[in-house]
Amino acid sequence: MDDIEKELEQSQNEADLAVFHKNYLSKTGKLTMMMADLKNMLAEERAEAGKRLNELKRKIEIKFFQKQAALRAQAVNDKLKQDPLIDITVPAINQPQGSLHPITLMTRRVVDICRSMGFLVVDGNEVVTEFENFDAVNIPSDHPARDMQDTFWLTNGKVLKTQTSAMQHEILKKYGPVVSAIFPGRCYRNEATDASHEFAFFQCEGMMVGKDISIANLIYVLKTLLSGVYGKEINVRLRPGFFPFVEPGFEYDASCPFCGGKGCPVCKHSGWIELGGCGMIHSNVLQMAGVDPKEYQGFAFGFGLTRLAMMQYGINDVRLLNSGNLEFLRGIKR
Amino acid sequence: MKISVDWLKDYVDLKGISAQQIAEKLTQITCEVEEVIPVGHGLDTVVVGKILTCEAHPQSDHLHLLTVDVGQAEPLHIVCGAPNARAGLTVAVATVGTVMPDGMKIVPAKLRGYESFGMCCSYAELGYKDDNEGIIELPSKTKVGTPITKVLPGLEDDIIDIDNKSITNRPDLWGHYGMARELAVIFDRALKPIDTTLVHNYDNLPALNIKLEDERCLSYGAIKVGNLAGIVSPDIMQNRLYKLGHNSHGFLVDVTNYVMFAFGNPLHAFDAAAVDKLSVGTVPAGTQFTTLKDNEITATKDMLFIKSNGKPVALAGVMGGKNSEITDTTANAVFEIATFDASNIRRTSVAVGIRSDASMRYEKALDPELNWLAVNETLHLIQTYAPQAQVQSKFTRVTSKAAEQPALQITVTKQMLNSYTGVDFSKQDALVARKLTVLGFAPKIDAKQIVVTVPSWRRWKDITSPADVIEEIIRNYGYQNITPVAPRVAVVPAPIALNAQVNDQLKDLLAWNYAFSEVHTNIWYDTKALKRFNLTVPSYATVANPFNKEDNQIRSTMLPSMLTVAANNKNQNDVRVFEIGRVINAKGTEEEHLAGVAVGMDYKAVSEMLTTIFQHLGVKVVYQLQQDGDAVWHPKNHAQIVVNGAVVGAIGIIHPQVMVNAVGFEIDLSHIDFQNIPAEHAPILSKFPKTELDFTFVWNEHYAQLDAIWDKYHNPLVVKRVLKSVYGNKFTLTFTVSSTEKTLDKSEINKIHQEILDFAGRNNVKLG
């Protein structure tokens, strides 16, 4: 017995163990053979011997497995010692360089918060009718507002939409009269480009129409939307403003999200950022879309997604956004 | 538009209110103030002085050596270059320490050897009026030592510059009196009423001969005044015009400008000798006309003119004519005070390219009643500053039918006011009544409603509906006093904008899984780039007024836009760009496309990418051989992309003459039905073993066709088929055979094996 244990102890590796296993524990091993020999014994001896032999085999087996575990652990440890040391401070290199456009990233912020408030998100066309772009939003043919915007006209009489307001009519008709919707979109203006002007830019417009929708609701929605976009409490203030499709109309400012209203270069040290126009939808606009202004009322608001993105990412030249410059685009990830 | 606070005080008491406060309140309640420009501030150290002695400077041919009494113990020694400097003159002296309006600081100085302790000022140097002829000559009895701000009215002022765009809808605000009315409302001060009876003193004089030939002239009034030659405008008038940016052009012209800035109604003055038998109407198209500023105008049939004996003498509402303008020798003048149709003036102004102070106002739709305020102020100014003048006619005024608008009453229910604003106005009757009254709306308020009568000056294209009246109330209530309230609306799920969601998924997959960058491009072709690529691509819509003449073709494919971006990024590694954008198709309808170009990615990688991405969206894309592809593609290696049997796009290696080593793709997303994607079932897992059967087929056509053939093979025990490998024309497919009920035995598997072989044989698919 002691000899067997000694032999096991002297095993240095898995190969030695295998030999030991073969010699004692396998089908042809000594211990197994001894078990087989039991049948030659006398019945009265057999019980006693069998019991002793079984105990012995069990004991050897346990020792064997213990030894095996110890040798395996040692082998892993020996290998660990030889493993090379990896420089875990080396950053990822040759990463794939994909990116989403800053306008997409900004739009998602806006869309997420608006969806959470139950707003429908509508994607509009870039080519719209003259009616949709102007007449349907209460800008008749001789209105000075048609001069305010330099419009790209198509030879078929349609226009590249100059404002997301061009979508109001279609949305009111399709989803109205009770509707909450936002409609981000690309707009075009025919004007010379420079650091702050581009032919194509993005606006986002929103509206809510119902039975009792009020100016107080408008302020609430703007405040909630902007606070959601910037992840902090934003204050909104209205000023008188004139837009043909709303009455009353307002310009609105947001407390500067970048300095909290203390004053910084983004807000030109005023603490406020002029964001866009809003107001109660003009009764003519509702009427033209088949919504009875005696029954329903609501608000509309708009702002420049391009401007929001430029402020958010500190982009000082609007032309970069449409430049397709990958060095620029790949530098913005979220 | 510039407004003088000093001038406003003629009409409303602004005591104790600073220009900053005015600007702030106007911005909150009325219009946008761009800036407040202080004028003549800090001139307290400029005082009245008397020149005691005046000697020529020994070393100069024009300088004088003065001693000037400014009320101090000792007279000041001043070196002065003004030609009119002389002993005994009462002058304005900027003493040491004064900072002049142009920023120059008065310090003790030596001029050619003589010390100078101050400066005698001209009007221009003080910023008072456009007069730099010499130093100011004050009346001799003016008390020495008096600060000059007390002597020159209006020297110290604040100019409020208002953003014109913010008052396009307020024709009543284009003069000081209208702004004064706003301030009277804002600060609860009284507005000075304007007496309009003076004009009637002349009602007995002969009328002028005026004929109205066109309804687009709403009102035309004129009055003739004589004996006005050589009158110099008074300081206060010159000063007020100067502060608004206008130099003096003599009393007659100054009066017309002054009255316009006071009340907002433009005036014109004709030399009476050049006009007779006035009429307002059109002239034959093509008639030439020269304005007093020498603009040469060719009349159209729509332009309105003022005519004298049938010949044009003024382009109505825009500018007077050279042939009848006021000159230095004009003694008798005819003053025109009129109102024209706003749209007509605007169109004329745009057509001739002249935007005058007059046209700018007329195009806002002025109130014809303003004529009476304007003519009275004109007569008042003439009486005050040119007492020798003789009024030679009555104010003769003719009006068109359009000028006779009936009074407009508007009723706003309190229920509507509360509902529209979200503010409870039930206890605000006093405020509402007070504000509306000063605004001129004569409100009648009871328990249920507010009834107003719109004043004439707000009646033209301005206040027409209850919402307009609500604006008057709520802006004066104060927007900052509105408490934000969450809207109370029924919780109805918003319809899901599927394409927006699909677009978002596509963008995310391309950007984050395949390292593509999203770019933005214009909807028209970049013609220069097309030429560079030597590409001809179809366009089905044209921009009539492109910014660059050649870039007028709206794209029907986005691929050129992507190629342009890729080409512009030559300096970058691994150029992979995409956009989801718009095109106009052959039917003239707008489509949404996904397009992309990858440089250095091989064809297979891009096609596998599209397969995977669309699989993600539940859409199976199939690549199909394309005959006669567009010139942009490699002549052989490009394919049509087919979804549900319809061609929705293309993929291929870009023709090397267009771009080397690039793969492009374009898919019309508008024509993929993302709405009806079949529901997905989880795979049925079997606890029994699976057997994979590999077959290698020799196939000389495109894989898509082989795939289509095997799509038709069905056996419920064959649970999966995948393309394992491709070597030349050898395609290895793996068929997975499995049952959910039992372990299939050899014979059953062999049976399927044979079935596949038979199917291949029937379809002429040969084993490799």
Side-chain angles (χ1 to χ4, degrees), chain B residues 71-93:
Chain B
Q72 296 173 2
E74 294 289 323
L76 296 179
H77 287 266
I78 292 174
V79 181
C80 175
N84 62 334
R86 58 187 186 273
L89 202 60
T90 305
V91 295
V93 178

Side-chain angles (χ1 to χ4, degrees), chain B residues 352-398:
Chain B
V352 299
I354 301 172
R355 200 131 191 279
S356 60
D357 280 314
S359 72
M360 214 193 304
R361 285 169 172 78
Y362 277 129
E363 69 183 34
K364 309 293 185 288
L366 295 183
D367 170 22
E369 293 304 307
L370 270 183
N371 297 164
W372 298 107
L373 296 178
V375 70
N376 266 280
E377 181 69 5
T378 307
L379 292 169
H380 175 72
L381 290 171
I382 289 169
Q383 267 188 356
T384 312
Y385 299 113
Q388 72 277 34
Q390 292 163 348
V391 176
Q392 295 173 354
S393 80
K394 68 180 282 193
F395 178 57
T396 314
R397 183 170 179 266
V398 286

Side-chain angles (χ1 to χ4, degrees), chain B residues 243-411:
Chain B
K243 285 183 294 195
L244 304 187
H246 290 259
N247 291 338
S248 176
H249 297 289
F251 182 64
L252 282 172
V253 176
D254 288 356
V255 164
T256 61
N257 283 330
Y258 187 93
V259 174
M260 173 175 67
F261 292 131
F263 293 102
N265 196 147
L267 274 72
H268 182 62
F270 295 105
D271 188 325
V275 293
D276 187 25
K277 283 190 189 149
L278 290 169
S279 59
V280 189
T282 54
V283 297
T287 305
Q288 293 297 308
F289 177 73
T290 309
T291 72
L292 52 81
K293 286 196 175 157
D294 294 322
N295 315 86
E296 299 291 345
I297 285 163
T298 307
T300 67
K301 63 176 173 41
D302 291 324
M303 292 177 183
L304 273 188
F305 283 89
I306 316 303
K307 296 177 283 187
S308 161
N309 291 322
K311 291 259 152 53
V313 287
L315 181 57
V318 180
M319 196 168 278
K322 190 94 182 161
N323 53 12
S324 55
E325 71 172 326
I326 300 293
T327 66
D328 293 346
T329 57
T330 302
N332 305 327
V334 171
F335 290 95
E336 162 202 299
I337 299 162
T339 320
F340 304 99
D341 171 64
S343 307
N344 179 262
I345 298 300
R346 196 182 141 264
R347 276 195 294 271
T348 301
S349 160
V350 170
V352 299
I354 301 172
R355 200 131 191 279
S356 60
D357 280 314
S359 72
M360 214 193 304
R361 285 169 172 78
Y362 277 129
E363 69 183 34
K364 309 293 185 288
L366 295 183
D367 170 22
E369 293 304 307
L370 270 183
N371 297 164
W372 298 107
L373 296 178
V375 70
N376 266 280
E377 181 69 5
T378 307
L379 292 169
H380 175 72
L381 290 171
I382 289 169
Q383 267 188 356
T384 312
Y385 299 113
Q388 72 277 34
Q390 292 163 348
V391 176
Q392 295 173 354
S393 80
K394 68 180 282 193
F395 178 57
T396 314
R397 183 170 179 266
V398 286
T399 55
S400 76
K401 278 217 182 65
E404 293 151 16
Q405 287 242 20
L408 175 65
Q409 278 205 341
I410 297 176
T411 301

Side-chain angles (χ1 to χ4, degrees), chain B residues 417-580:
Chain B
L417 175 63
N418 290 347
S419 154
Y420 224 66
T421 57
V423 174
D424 179 10
F425 271 96
S426 58
K427 296 203 172 69
Q428 301 287 348
D429 281 358
L431 175 102
V432 172
R434 192 172 74 236
K435 299 293 185 184
L436 286 179
T437 302
V438 184
L439 281 167
F441 283 77
K444 292 201 181 77
I445 304 180
D446 63 27
K448 283 230 165 92
Q449 61 190 34
I450 302 158
V451 181
V452 300
T453 307
V454 181
S456 67
W457 57 89
R458 304 294 301 276
R459 178 76 180 81
W460 296 84
K461 287 192 179 174
D462 181 1
I463 305 283
T464 57
S465 69
D468 296 315
V469 179
I470 289 172
E471 175 170 31
E472 294 306 301
I473 296 168
I474 189 70
R475 72 186 175 94
N476 281 296
Y477 172 79
Y479 297 142
Q480 74 281 5
N481 297 324
I482 303 174
T483 310
V485 178
R488 294 162 62 121
V489 290
V491 178
V492 203
I496 291 166
L498 196 62
N499 58 335
Q501 288 182 0
V502 166
N503 290 356
D504 270 346
Q505 290 188 52
L506 287 170
K507 286 177 183 181
D508 278 335
L509 289 165
L510 281 162
W512 309 133
N513 291 17
Y514 295 96
F516 273 66
S517 285
E518 185 190 12
V519 299
H520 280 175
T521 58
N522 290 329
I523 195 169
W524 53 78
Y525 290 126
D526 180 340
T527 309
K528 268 197 203 120
L530 288 182
K531 275 192 189 137
R532 212 163 53 231
F533 296 139
N534 197 18
L535 262 186
T536 315
V537 276
S539 164
Y540 305 103
T542 307
V543 182
N545 60 334
F547 190 81
N548 297 316
K549 216 165 81 198
E550 65 273 21
D551 291 335
N552 66 343
Q553 299 295 304
I554 300 286
R555 64 189 178 191
S556 64
T557 156
M558 284 174 55
L559 210 54
S561 309
M562 296 302 104
L563 288 167
T564 308
V565 172
N568 290 343
N569 278 293
K570 278 203 177 109
N571 59 338
Q572 294 288 311
N573 297 324
D574 304 323
V575 171
R576 297 177 186 184
V577 294
F578 79 97
E579 182 177 13
I580 295 177

Side-chain angles (χ1 to χ4, degrees), chain A residues 99 101 104 108 120-121 126-127 142 147 151 153 155 186 188 190 212 215-217 240 247 297 324 326 330, chain B residues 28 343 346 419-420 468 471 485 495 497 504 508 516-518 521 523 542 544-545 569 573-574 579 582 590:
Chain A
S99 55
H101 197 277
T104 295
R108 285 185 178 181
L120 158 72
V121 183
E126 288 181 21
V127 177
D142 64 343
D147 286 354
T151 308
W153 293 87
T155 49
R186 194 193 306 251
Y188 285 90
N190 191 349
D212 261 318
I215 299 169
N217 295 155
E247 183 65 39
Q297 62 195 36
L326 284 182
R330 283 169 171 170
Chain B
Q28 285 170 9
S343 307
R346 196 182 141 264
S419 154
Y420 224 66
D468 296 315
E471 175 170 31
V485 178
D504 270 346
D508 278 335
F516 273 66
S517 285
E518 185 190 12
T521 58
I523 195 169
T542 307
N545 60 334
N569 278 293
N573 297 324
D574 304 323
E579 182 177 13
R582 302 304 179 99
E590 188 168 329

